[in-house]
Amino acid sequence: MFDSKVASRLKAQLSKFSRELSEGLPRPSRKFVQQMLYGIQASQDVKLSSIARSLQEKIPLIKTEDRLSRNLAAEELEIHLAQRLAQIGSRRVGYDTVLALDLSDVRKDYARKMEYLDQVYDGSTGQVHPGYWLCEVTAVEMRSSEIVPLYQKLYSAEAPEFRGENRELLAAVDWVGTFVGWRGIWVMDRGGDRKHLLEPLLERQLRFVIRSTGRRTVVDRHQLRGTVAEVAGRCRLPHAARVTRIDEEGKKKVYELRYGAERIRLPGQEEPLLLVVIAGFGARPLMLLSNLAARARDSESLWKIVEIYLSRWKIEETLRFLKQSYHFEDVRVLSYRRLQNLAVLVLAVAYFAATFLGQKLKLKLLCEKLLIISRRFFGIPPFRFYALADAIRHVLSHSSPPASLPPPDEWPLQLILAWHG
């Protein structure tokens, strides 16, 4: 199934997004960004050879690949694109928007010559592999399917400028916080309750919900010191709730939960915190540290904190979406700068597919047509962006690449009127 009108509209929106994203760059760099955004989506791949093929240039393929590789080494590219994405995405971040801060990894098991290749821990297997770290921030609304990829930085502990994992995480908080005006609620998984993250978040007066490992020492309401796990063990769970989770295959899993809370504080800190304890997700209770409604004990206030954390389920799927839909772990460039620039380009591609296309009613209708084109046998799962990415690839790969746009001051009047219409 191929619709030339859908292809035309899709390419027009991609060109519009590319122009907004690359605003301020030299013209050759703007052309490069446009071609990379098109090529990654048309091939659903990050290998430069695949991207070069999708551009269908009437020159030897190696010449196109060399040009892409040369432009991908630009020093200013990562910072410029990261700044523009944060500026564009910040418009969609409200006071109660969840800002999920995560660390993931890019495994490169067979790489030998990639610059500053690191050893990364795979949380799903518990094994250590060669690769790189990704620090990511994604915005999501609690009761909405909308996601907004805001930040993605690839880094290595072997790089000379690396100053520690905590600094990378706090740098992401400060970068995004600056652009969103410090709105939003920060959410982190286990490991986020370390002292060198919790105390800076309190100093910055940021609101947060962080899953605890249970080992952090805290002071309870009786002024007794103990670990989070010890305090959680004494916590009453008077409230009940039922949660249904739908996985990527569309299967439902129902959880019967009990939850409650205890007031605590960190040693040496006066600000009150809340330890929310939830039983029912597994053998051990879920323990959340938060400075939201720190003195509240009613079920509604506590459940809001639980909901904020559970929004991370959408974020975890987003991380898989980035890796799987664009085969990011199949990256082949060798230099560290190219790897970092490619990481932010993939983030821009994800923003276009997951956020930009759905921001207006007319574009939502375009999304619906693309989802039909994706030709899924068993319907569209709740996390629809895999199907959307497949549809974008199908449409772009069956059409010619968009022509390079002239500078705005050289656009003919008809094109300007069509663009703004």
Side-chain angles (χ1 to χ4, degrees), residues 57-346:
E57 295 185 331
K58 296 179 180 179
I59 59 175
L61 184 65
I62 188 64
K63 296 292 186 182
T64 301
E65 188 176 345
D66 285 345
R67 186 187 73 248
L68 295 177
S69 179
R70 185 172 61 253
N71 281 277
L72 193 58
E75 290 288 335
E76 75 281 1
L77 192 63
E78 181 192 25
I79 292 179
H80 181 92
L81 295 184
Q83 178 176 322
R84 291 296 297 146
L85 277 170
Q87 288 173 335
I88 296 168
S90 66
R91 307 164 192 165
R92 311 179 74 82
V93 176
Y95 181 74
D96 285 332
T97 300
V98 174
L99 300 172
L101 176 62
D102 266 289
L103 281 179
S104 65
D105 59 271
V106 178
R107 285 179 55 173
K108 298 301 299 178
D109 289 326
Y110 305 106
R112 296 294 181 268
K113 296 183 179 181
M114 299 180 83
E115 191 174 17
Y116 305 133
L117 191 64
D118 199 359
Q119 295 294 310
V120 298
Y121 175 78
D122 188 336
S124 60
T125 65
Q127 297 176 338
V128 175
H129 302 271
Y132 298 91
W133 293 104
L134 287 174
C135 182
E136 298 156 311
V137 179
T138 307
V140 63
E141 300 295 337
M142 283 189 291
R143 295 179 177 88
S144 170
S145 61
E146 179 178 307
I147 58 171
V148 184
L150 287 173
Y151 179 91
Q152 177 169 269
K153 181 179 179 182
L154 179 145
Y155 73 89
S156 167
E158 299 297 321
E161 67 267 27
F162 179 73
R163 293 295 180 270
E165 183 177 282
N166 293 331
R167 288 198 180 186
E168 290 290 344
L169 291 167
L170 289 174
V173 170
D174 290 338
W175 179 273
V176 173
T178 299
F179 288 102
V180 303
W182 305 102
R183 300 185 302 273
I185 302 169
W186 289 90
V187 176
M188 293 181 232
D189 207 357
R190 284 173 295 191
D193 63 341
R194 64 190 81 166
K195 176 181 178 181
H196 295 297
L197 288 179
L198 270 177
E199 291 186 357
L201 290 176
L202 290 171
E203 290 170 2
R204 289 164 171 76
Q205 298 182 331
L206 298 176
R207 297 177 298 155
F208 59 80
V209 176
I210 298 175
R211 183 175 178 181
S212 176
T213 60
R215 296 189 295 269
R216 164 79 33 227
T217 298
V218 294
V219 180
D220 69 12
R221 57 194 172 96
H222 301 295
Q223 304 304 312
L224 298 175
R225 288 190 177 222
T227 65
V228 169
E230 290 169 345
V231 177
R234 300 191 296 266
C235 180
R236 293 176 59 250
L237 308 178
H239 310 297
R242 174 181 293 176
V243 170
T244 301
R245 182 179 186 180
I246 303 176
D247 62 22
E248 59 186 87
E249 297 177 354
K251 296 180 180 179
K252 292 183 179 181
K253 187 171 183 179
V254 179
Y255 298 90
E256 299 289 346
L257 308 178
R258 305 287 300 179
Y259 62 99
E262 287 286 338
R263 293 196 303 272
I264 60 170
R265 62 179 177 84
L266 299 178
Q269 297 282 334
E270 295 301 322
E271 182 171 345
L273 300 178
L274 205 60
L275 168 61
V276 182
V277 183
I278 310 103
F281 282 117
R284 297 184 60 194
L286 195 67
M287 297 168 285
L288 305 177
L289 301 179
S290 178
N291 58 352
L292 298 175
R295 298 190 183 279
R297 300 293 293 275
D298 62 281
S299 62
E300 185 177 349
S301 298
L302 299 184
W303 184 247
K304 181 180 179 181
I305 294 174
V306 178
E307 277 192 302
I308 289 169
Y309 177 78
L310 295 183
S311 298
R312 286 197 73 263
W313 282 347
K314 303 173 191 175
I315 307 304
E316 290 170 358
E317 194 64 45
T318 303
L319 303 182
R320 285 193 289 271
F321 167 65
L322 286 172
K323 286 185 183 180
Q324 294 176 12
S325 286
Y326 306 112
H327 300 95
F328 191 44
E329 289 193 326
D330 201 24
V331 60
R332 304 290 177 87
V333 296
L334 300 180
S335 78
Y336 192 53
R337 172 54 57 199
R338 288 182 175 89
L339 285 164
Q340 291 183 311
N341 286 341
L342 196 53
V344 75
L345 281 165
V346 170

